[in-house]
Amino acid sequence: MTTIATAAADWIAHDPDPQTAAELAACSPEELDRRFSRPLTFGTAGLRGPLRGGPDAMNLAVVMRAAWALAQVLKDRCLGGSHVVVGRDARHRSDEFALAAAEVLAAEGFDVLLMLAAVPTPVIAYTVRHLPAAAGIQITASHNPPTDNGFKVFLDGGMQIVSPSDSEIEAAMARAPYADEIPRAAVEVGGLRQIHGYVERAARVRRSTGSVRVALTPLHGVGGEYALDALALAGFDDVHVVEDQFTPDPDFPTVSFPNPEEPGAVDALLSLAAAVDAEVAVALDPDADRCAVCVPSPDGWRMLSGDETGWLLGDYILSQLEPGPVSEAALVASTVVSSRMLAAIAAAHDAQHAETLTGFKWLARAQRPGNTLVYAYEEAIGYCVDPAAVRDKDGISAAILVCDLVAALRDQGRTLLDALDALARTHGVHVTGAVSRVVDDAETAMMRLRATPPRELAGFSVGVEDLLDRRGQQRTDALVFTGDEGGTSIRVVVRPSGTEPKLKSYTEVRCAPTDDLDTARAHAEKLSRELIDAATRW
């Protein structure tokens, strides 16, 4: 027998789930080769994959081996017997996987808190930070399709794992016992105090008073009841929900893809918002760690980009700080693929700004000597508005702060769009965009782009910075093209996707500050289209 055939036979013989064992036994040799040649690896904070048998997917055997591996890594760090938190969302098999992970950790001697109900991912990040716990696991696939699930890991005060923790867990998984030989011990469920603590803390991000009319959807995820409770505690009692998307449903029946950024995903929310004459509409993703904001405009309802919401929240948080030593000690952070405007906003408030690599595992760790992180965001509708409580993106606390800002602006006779106009007049119009292009091999495509980089984009002469030339945590596989002429600047960041054969490009055009915003935006949007068109040909 070949090595893979032997490995597959052993896996099937020791699979603790008869259903996936039977599924694997019926696979062709070619399919077994595909499933066993490339096991799941840690991507953004954890494992994520389709629900099916084999080491390249999410199933009971993989979850048990991952939990056992995490236990070994923690014990190697002299953290044996520590608290560990295990939670889950409402996806298919999440409850079964969470129980198995908790029982494996308990058998390894850890003091395990298994959440009594499905919870948003930020609840786990909060609980790990405030219990405190040595680690946390959330069984979730965030906004992936309904056929997927995942195993997300938090360490270090409730932050997503980074290297070398991910590779250490992977190495331990490779030497794990057969899944049916991994011990399990009974655990009791709990966590009500921690859930209440999270909801109460989320409500306290408010700065102003008064209610606003809100339209809300959790997109069939777990955030609905938690968001309603937090909004009520914060004083927002005029909340209208999309009824047929409110109850958690792992099949996400009313949307083709459970991601607020996907076309059509918030259509029902916008219809509700128009019907009830809402002042703001909010969509949470299925595990409620991301938040999309929609606003009424002269042309109807529209969704703000992740950058636009990021600017508004960053400016609002910094505006609440006492000028002088307090504001000067404040740090805000955004990623290398996000807009440059947050840096300008920070400078205007005498605060500091840090740029990190993509993902909240890096944003949560943003630091400068003598500064305290007060806010971080990424363009993919992720916001950390209370880092002292949740050191990760948190859609519920972000939604509270958005509603709070709407109330504060309304008291001034202004709207979120007015606030965006004010930022543009001060810091210049910024127009951002993004595009993904399918390629045969992303690594080869990046090599080709490095060998023959463009010298001109949208009529601008451009220079290039290769982020592989950086050292330490700023080093990554990305190219940054920049150009500047006549007060207008362009920027394009190109990187390979970490999960698909795609090149991802992020564009930004900035025009000099002006009171003629319509002309500046039209010019910037024209240049943005040209940049995106160029990126689709790389």
Side-chain angles (χ1 to χ4, degrees):
M1 295 178 74
T2 66
T3 302
I4 285 182
T6 302
D10 288 344
W11 184 286
I12 293 168
H14 293 279
D15 194 328
D17 182 348
Q19 182 175 341
T20 50
E23 173 198 326
L24 289 170
C27 287
S28 66
E30 293 77 17
E31 178 64 17
L32 288 176
D33 186 70
R34 281 191 290 270
R35 295 196 188 190
F36 281 81
S37 61
R38 180 177 280 182
L40 277 188
T41 57
F42 277 79
T44 302
L47 307 170
R48 195 177 294 180
L51 288 161
R52 66 184 188 205
D56 72 333
M58 282 295 297
N59 50 68
L60 187 59
V62 165
V63 168
M64 292 176 64
R65 289 164 63 90
W68 182 90
L70 174 60
Q72 309 318 304
V73 170
L74 292 174
K75 288 193 282 189
D76 287 346
R77 297 179 181 182
C78 299
L79 294 171
S82 301
H83 289 295
V84 176
V85 182
V86 179
R88 61 177 175 88
D89 64 11
R91 283 180 175 266
H92 291 294
R93 303 195 70 180
S94 282
D95 52 353
E96 177 188 0
F97 291 168
L99 177 62
E103 290 183 344
V104 168
L105 285 158
E108 291 295 317
F110 290 88
D111 186 356
V112 181
L113 171 60
L114 175 61
M115 287 292 172
L116 54 84
V119 295
T121 295
V123 171
I124 301 303
Y126 169 88
T127 302
V128 172
R129 190 169 185 83
H130 294 278
L131 193 59
I137 296 168
Q138 172 76 335
I139 304 298
T140 180
S142 189
H143 53 276
N144 273 38
T147 52
D148 289 2
N149 214 326
F151 183 100
K152 188 170 187 175
V153 180
F154 293 94
L155 298 173
D156 306 326
M159 292 186 281
Q160 299 177 22
I161 61 170
V162 295
S163 183
S165 297
D166 49 6
S167 56
E168 290 174 0
I169 298 172
E170 288 173 3
M173 286 180 70
R175 66 175 190 270
Y178 292 121
D180 65 345
E181 296 176 359
I182 295 175
R184 296 172 63 166
V187 295
E188 293 185 5
V189 298
L192 189 60
R193 179 170 61 85
Q194 287 75 21
I195 291 171
H196 286 163
Y198 164 80
V199 170
E200 291 167 359
R201 180 63 184 247
R204 291 204 300 271
V205 303
R206 281 214 73 175
R207 270 79 169 168
S208 69
T209 58
S211 187
V212 297
R213 181 165 294 176
V214 184
L216 172 73
T217 179
L219 285 183
H220 301 291
V222 296
E225 292 289 353
Y226 298 88
L228 283 185
D229 288 347
L231 284 163
L233 280 175
F236 299 109
D237 54 8
D238 191 2
V239 183
H240 303 258
V241 302
V242 180
E243 294 291 349
D244 61 356
Q245 294 180 342
F246 191 77
T247 301
D249 187 330
D251 292 317
F252 308 107
T254 69
V255 293
S256 58
F257 201 89
N259 180 351
E261 295 181 294
E262 288 293 317
V266 297
D267 286 356
L269 174 68
L270 299 187
S271 295
L272 173 67
V276 302
D277 195 24
E279 294 168 84
V280 65
V282 173
L284 303 173
D285 73 340
D287 68 329
D289 65 350
R290 301 197 310 152
C291 165
V293 178
C294 305
V295 297
S297 78
D299 300 319
W301 281 83
R302 78 169 179 94
M303 183 187 294
L304 299 183
S305 71
D307 283 311
E308 288 175 321
T309 302
W311 305 334
L312 290 168
L313 294 180
D315 183 67
Y316 187 41
I317 287 171
L318 291 174
S319 72
Q320 304 298 305
L321 301 181
E322 181 183 342
V326 175
S327 62
E328 291 167 5
L331 175 68
V332 296
S334 55
T335 72
V336 67
V337 301
S338 298
S339 168
R340 305 298 89 194
M341 191 192 276
L342 185 63
I345 291 170
H349 289 285
D350 294 323
Q352 300 297 309
H353 173 263
E355 178 186 283
T356 74
L357 298 184
T358 305
F360 260 88
K361 62 184 180 182
W362 301 116
L363 283 169
R365 291 174 170 83
Q367 57 184 329
R368 287 181 181 271
N371 292 108
T372 300
L373 185 67
V374 299
Y375 173 69
Y377 94 93
E378 63 181 356
E379 92 297 337
I381 61 172
Y383 314 97
C384 175
V385 302
D386 187 7
V390 177
R391 204 75 165 192
D392 195 21
K393 58 184 178 291
D394 181 354
I396 293 176
S397 62
I400 299 290
L401 195 61
V402 165
C403 294
D404 184 54
L405 177 55
V406 171
L409 289 170
R410 186 188 59 198
D411 289 345
Q412 304 167 15
R414 303 167 66 214
T415 67
L416 292 179
L417 294 181
D418 294 330
L420 285 173
D421 285 348
L423 290 174
R425 292 189 186 96
T426 301
H427 305 294
V429 164
H430 290 61
V431 172
T432 59
V435 63
S436 294
R437 186 171 78 87
V438 177
V439 293
D440 291 333
D441 182 86
E443 183 177 344
T444 300
M446 288 296 292
M447 289 176 60
R448 185 167 56 246
L449 195 55
R450 284 188 169 89
T452 57
R455 302 300 179 188
E456 180 269 339
L457 289 170
F460 287 72
S461 296
V462 293
V464 60
E465 180 186 5
D466 190 341
L467 301 195
L468 280 180
D469 293 337
R470 292 181 176 181
R471 292 295 174 262
Q473 291 187 348
Q474 290 296 311
R475 186 175 188 269
T476 190
D477 186 6
L479 297 169
V480 182
F481 299 97
T482 54
D484 192 316
E485 184 179 320
T488 299
S489 62
I490 63 170
R491 184 173 186 269
V492 181
V493 183
V494 187
R495 69 178 181 90
S497 168
T499 56
E500 302 171 284
K502 290 181 178 180
L503 283 189
K504 299 185 126 183
S505 298
Y506 305 81
T507 66
E508 181 166 35
V509 178
R510 177 193 177 274
C511 297
T514 176
D515 287 331
D516 188 359
L517 297 182
D518 289 342
T519 299
R521 284 183 175 134
H523 178 56
E525 286 166 1
K526 175 179 178 295
L527 292 175
S528 180
R529 289 192 294 271
E530 293 179 18
L531 292 176
I532 288 175
D533 182 62
T536 60
R537 298 193 299 271
W538 290 338

